[in-house]
Amino acid sequence: VPAPTRAKTPYLPTYMAPDAPAAAIVAEAEPDDVAMLDGNTIEVAWPQTRECVTKMRKRVGTVRYRPKQQRNRFENVYLIEFERRPGTPRMAKGPRLRKTRWEKLRGRTYVVLRSAVLPKPARTQYSPEEIEAVRVRLEAGETQASIGLGIGRTKNAITGQSKRFLPGYAPLSTGDGPRVKSGVTVELTESAMLTLPEYEGTAVEVFEAVKRQAATEGVALNLETAPGERARSRAEVTVKRLLTDRKRCPQFSATGEKRVSDAQIDRGAKKYKSRKSPVYKYSPPIVTAERELGRPSTKRVRAHTPNVGGPKKSARKTKELLAGGDRRHG
């Protein structure tokens, strides 16, 4: 007669109550990849002291998220495959496997070298998991470029996203609510720049002119702090976007000059120590005259924008015509 077998009981951590619900047990058994390090190849550096001499040790390894792996500590959900140094006797044995957790890894200095995450297209919305990963990795002291490489974003995108967690910045929009307009239009900006000397000025000077023009025309501007900004309003941010958008607004162009404007000084900037701002110029559309009846035409044409390749091509074509025709047609 075979001996009776005892039924196996599921393993429960010692710090968890025996009568905890099953959902809580599953959640505790599978900690999340809060930093989204799965697939990242990182270089870890830490100080090591031997015989009163401190040196920085560096190792390169690939992080794997393994919540089902056997481990002594419940939090060790990461498996790092460290590359062995070339020339060591154990190099042929393959990578060194080390189990660790985020609380321990964040105490080290590390940087992402490669990532298995593909780059995401521009303007792709951040998921809640990505926002949390950016937060915890910034708190650990990781650079924006390293975080962006790890989660498939650019450095500038991470820099903008980091303003969610910096004190003094307005909260970023989640994109769920209705769109908030600034009240600034292209026509209003054009009318405002016509009041400036030589139709040019810095972004701050143009914005002050837009405010005066809006008060004259009775247009309400949205002056609340823009998302991700310390002091700039939604209207001022929109003005700067219009001045720098060469594809949508070719009538606005940078002159190449930089200066500290009087408007900046009025805001508290120092004339010789503050950062200089670029100067933007407005080129009004050319009004052509019709030949019939001598009446002027009211047709508005596109503002003239300089073309780098235009003069060279025109000069070459003129020489070909003077020489006896176009070479391409014999």
Side-chain angles (χ1 to χ4, degrees):
V1 178
T5 58
R6 185 171 57 181
K8 295 183 178 180
T9 57
Y11 166 75
L12 293 177
T14 56
Y15 52 87
M16 183 181 297
D19 56 347
I25 296 175
V26 173
E28 288 291 332
E30 297 181 5
D32 295 331
D33 182 14
V34 63
M36 297 184 68
L37 286 171
D38 188 23
N40 291 351
T41 300
I42 62 176
E43 182 185 60
V44 187
W46 68 95
Q48 187 180 55
T49 304
R50 289 182 178 178
E51 298 179 358
C52 300
V53 177
T54 303
K55 295 182 179 180
M56 291 297 295
R57 296 190 61 185
K58 293 183 179 180
R59 294 291 183 271
V60 177
T62 302
V63 183
R64 308 293 183 187
Y65 175 59
R66 297 290 184 266
K68 299 292 186 180
Q69 67 182 350
Q70 295 181 355
R71 54 194 187 273
N72 296 329
R73 295 184 65 93
F74 175 70
E75 300 83 3
N76 289 351
V77 294
Y78 289 126
L79 178 67
I80 304 183
E81 303 172 356
F82 283 109
E83 302 174 0
R84 296 184 184 272
R85 291 178 294 178
T88 56
R90 299 183 180 180
M91 184 178 178
K93 295 185 178 182
R96 300 181 64 178
L97 305 180
R98 291 293 181 267
K99 300 173 184 178
T100 186
R101 56 193 180 278
W102 169 244
E103 287 72 17
K104 185 176 181 180
L105 188 59
R106 65 178 299 176
R108 309 286 191 184
T109 301
Y110 70 92
V111 61
V112 177
L113 303 180
R114 298 181 299 275
S115 176
V117 181
L118 297 177
K120 297 179 177 62
R123 297 184 178 272
T124 303
Q125 282 194 342
Y126 281 75
S127 63
E129 293 78 12
E130 285 181 309
I131 296 176
E132 181 64 15
V134 172
R135 184 187 68 82
V136 297
R137 293 172 76 162
L138 283 174
E139 290 180 353
E142 188 175 353
T143 62
Q144 286 90 342
S146 176
I147 298 174
L149 182 60
I151 66 175
R153 302 281 183 171
T154 62
K155 176 186 175 182
N156 292 337
I158 299 299
T159 302
Q161 202 61 212
S162 64
K163 295 179 181 179
R164 289 181 182 270
F165 321 110
L166 295 177
Y169 284 87
L172 292 178
S173 174
T174 57
D176 301 332
R179 182 179 179 183
V180 181
K181 296 185 178 181
S182 63
V184 178
T185 60
V186 178
E187 292 76 13
L188 181 63
T189 308
E190 290 177 349
S191 302
M193 293 196 71
L194 288 175
T195 63
L196 296 176
E198 299 183 0
Y199 307 155
E200 64 181 26
T202 63
V204 178
E205 292 174 338
V206 175
F207 175 63
E208 296 296 332
V210 167
K211 287 198 299 184
R212 294 191 297 267
Q213 189 69 21
T216 304
E217 300 181 5
V219 179
L221 299 180
N222 192 339
L223 299 180
E224 66 177 5
T225 306
E229 295 288 338
R230 282 184 179 269
R232 291 199 307 172
S233 62
R234 290 180 180 268
E236 186 173 359
V237 170
T238 303
V239 169
K240 183 61 178 294
R241 288 176 181 173
L242 293 178
L243 295 176
T244 55
D245 191 350
R246 295 284 294 154
K247 185 175 182 181
R248 180 186 172 191
C249 305
Q251 63 269 35
F252 305 129
S253 59
T255 62
E257 177 189 358
K258 290 185 178 182
R259 67 168 183 254
V260 179
S261 61
D262 295 337
Q264 288 178 267
I265 297 176
D266 295 340
R267 291 186 178 185
K270 297 182 180 179
K271 187 173 182 180
Y272 299 103
K273 294 184 179 181
S274 300
R275 180 182 300 177
K276 297 181 179 180
S277 302
V279 178
Y280 300 93
K281 185 177 181 62
Y282 168 54
S283 302
I286 303 172
V287 180
T288 58
E290 296 184 1
R291 298 190 180 185
E292 55 182 9
L293 301 180
R295 291 185 176 182
S297 173
T298 58
K299 181 180 179 182
R300 293 166 61 93
V301 299
R302 193 172 185 179
H304 172 70
T305 55
N307 185 7
V308 178
K312 296 182 180 179
K313 183 177 180 181
S314 301
R316 186 182 70 249
K317 199 168 185 65
T318 303
K319 290 182 180 180
E320 292 176 354
L321 293 176
L322 293 177
D326 196 342
R327 296 179 183 176
R328 293 175 295 177
H329 300 285

